[in-house]
Amino acid sequence: MSDLKTQLKEQIAPMDWQDLVTHAQRDVLIVVDSNLDLIEVGCAIAKDKTSLVQNWISEQLIQKPSPQQLSLWNQNQNYKFNTIIVQPYVLISPCFEE
């Protein structure tokens, strides 16, 4: 496993929506579809793999939160996300609890 993957894996952290609101206000959140691996996306962004990232964007697998998502999360702040920081972005993926 590459050093970057190891580093990102160690940094992954569950966060509640209320802890992410300030990042949303700064427009630095990127929602990663649950079908993608958060670490893989973080590595691709960090390594500037533009074509791969553009492909995910065009397939709407990674995107900025929609106004509807923000509204839903603001109304019910019990949402939890797995997060990693890849400057300047905060990548978030829904955290499904059993």
Side-chain angles (χ1 to χ4, degrees):
M1 188 180 305
S2 76
D3 289 344
L4 179 59
K5 275 189 180 179
T6 303
Q7 185 180 357
L8 291 176
K9 198 166 265 190
E10 289 170 358
Q11 292 176 5
I12 218 166
M15 292 184 89
D16 295 326
W17 172 247
Q18 61 261 27
D19 297 326
L20 294 167
V21 170
T22 55
H23 300 296
Q25 292 166 341
R26 290 185 15 246
D27 197 31
V28 296
L29 286 185
I30 296 179
V31 181
V32 176
D33 188 275
S34 58
N35 292 321
L36 290 179
D37 182 83
L38 194 59
I39 303 298
E40 292 296 327
V41 174
C43 283
I45 291 172
K47 292 181 176 179
D48 224 5
K49 293 187 176 182
T50 311
S51 61
L52 182 56
V53 172
Q54 285 295 342
N55 186 45
W56 288 332
I57 291 170
S58 67
E59 292 180 16
Q60 297 183 333
L61 294 172
I62 65 172
Q63 58 195 341
K64 299 272 180 145
S66 69
Q68 293 85 355
Q69 286 173 312
L70 292 171
S71 177
L72 178 68
W73 298 336
N74 284 324
Q75 288 173 22
N76 179 0
Q77 297 202 352
N78 292 328
Y79 283 94
K80 292 190 184 313
F81 299 89
N82 285 319
T83 65
I84 53 173
I85 296 171
V86 179
Q87 292 289 350
Y89 303 109
V90 178
L91 308 183
I92 65 171
S93 182
C95 192
F96 299 105
E97 295 181 352
E98 301 300 315

